[in-house]
């Protein structure tokens, strides 16, 4: 199972939990192979060029299969033509968090402050074109505010900078930011799901203030496009069988099972490509 990102992130965690369970269901080891680099392009391209025999699968993401389409004019793979979706795995909204020193306790205050001081509030991200960056661009567009984007080499140093007060805000992943929010080191302003999470009922959805805002990271299994339908069906069946066993662990990490078959994943992907390509073009972001 190729993961196109470094160990320890949202994609890697979901992949390793699923791999353990798939090994039981499939009756053979499932090894996670981290091939990080170039915004997920290196690992994703390797998966696209692998033999279509079911023995190499990719943990695709919102970045590799939706956002990169608009970001890279010379993308070395086609997320639709080069891959066949096999099964959904996990989803997770981000959490908009602020450093306590800013005195921003909710999204309404954030918007008011940003409008009064255009470009003065900063938000960190894991880099240009990452989901944490594009979540900020979507928010800026819908809320009509100007925030200063501060990119880092990855999500980890961005989160460290936020905790140190070097940046003011961040659209961070739940597994990363929730422990700090619970300890009072960060202020949770809103979840990026369309509605509040049952596990965080006191934290409003950003959409309650910035109408139409919705953003969630997701992972799904993909195989090379020429993979036989019987193999795809087997992978989908094994993944669907595994997800109920992972629900408890997913919940602890702020993840939710993404129980979707190949057709549902394909439809979701088409919508995500259209949405994020629009955000990228509006913000005039390019990565190459």
């Amino acid at each position: 199972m190729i993961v196109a990102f470094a160990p320890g992130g949202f994609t890697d965690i979901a992949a390793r939990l699923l791999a353990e369970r798939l090994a039981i269901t499939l009756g053979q080891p499932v090894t996670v192979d981290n091939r990080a680099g170039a915004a997920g392009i290196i690992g994703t391209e390797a998966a696209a060029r692998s033999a279509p025999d079911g023995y190499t699968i990719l943990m695709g993401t919102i970045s590799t299969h939706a956002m990169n389409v608009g970001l890279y004019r010379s993308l070395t793979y086609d997320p639709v033509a080069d891959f066949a979706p096999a099964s959904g795995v996990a989803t997770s909204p981000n959490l908009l968090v602020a450093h306590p020193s800013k005195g921003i306790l909710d999204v309404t205050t954030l918007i008011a402050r940003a409008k009064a001081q255009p470009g003065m509030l900063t938000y960190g991200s894991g880099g240009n074109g990452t989901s944490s960056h594009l979540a900020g661009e979507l928010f800026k567009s819908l809320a009509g505010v100007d925030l200063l984007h501060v990119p880092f080499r990855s999500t980890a140093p961005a989160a460290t900078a936020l905790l140190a007060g070097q940046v003011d805000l961040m659209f961070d992943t739940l597994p990363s930011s929730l422990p700090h929010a619970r300890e009072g080191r960060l202020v949770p302003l809103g979840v990026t799901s369309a509605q509040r999470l049952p596990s965080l009922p006191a934290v409003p959805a950003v959409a309650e203030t910035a109408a139409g805002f919705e953003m969630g990271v997701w992972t799904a299994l993909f195989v090379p496009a020429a993979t036989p339908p019987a193999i795809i069906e087997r992978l989908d069946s094994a993944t669907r069988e595994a997800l109920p066993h992972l629900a408890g662990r997913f919940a602890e990490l702020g993840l939710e099972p993404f129980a979707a078959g190949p057709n549902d994943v394909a439809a979701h992907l088409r919508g995500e490509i259209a949405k994020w390509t629009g955000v990228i073009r509006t913000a005039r972001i390019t990565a190459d």
Side-chain angles (χ1 to χ4, degrees), residues 111-191:
I111 293 174
R113 183 83 60 84
K115 287 185 175 181
Q117 301 174 326
M120 296 300 294
L121 289 175
T122 60
Y123 77 97
S125 81
N128 189 48
T130 59
S131 59
S132 52
H133 174 204
L134 296 185
E137 292 300 326
L138 179 61
F139 177 77
K140 287 166 57 178
S141 174
L142 292 175
V145 297
D146 181 17
L147 303 174
L148 178 61
H149 174 226
V150 182
F152 291 81
R153 296 189 64 178
S154 67
T155 302
T160 299
L162 176 64
L163 288 167
Q166 295 170 349
V167 293
D168 304 323
L169 309 157
M170 186 174 175
F171 288 87
D172 199 7
T173 62
L174 273 174
S176 171
S177 59
L178 190 55
H180 299 300
R182 286 172 172 163
E183 294 170 2
R185 301 179 67 192
L186 295 175
V187 180
L189 304 182
V191 293

Side-chain angles (χ1 to χ4, degrees), residues 93-112:
N94 279 6
L95 186 64
L96 173 56
V97 286
H99 191 269
S101 66
K102 294 290 110 177
I104 299 173
L105 302 180
D106 51 44
V107 177
T108 299
T109 304
L110 167 59
I111 293 174

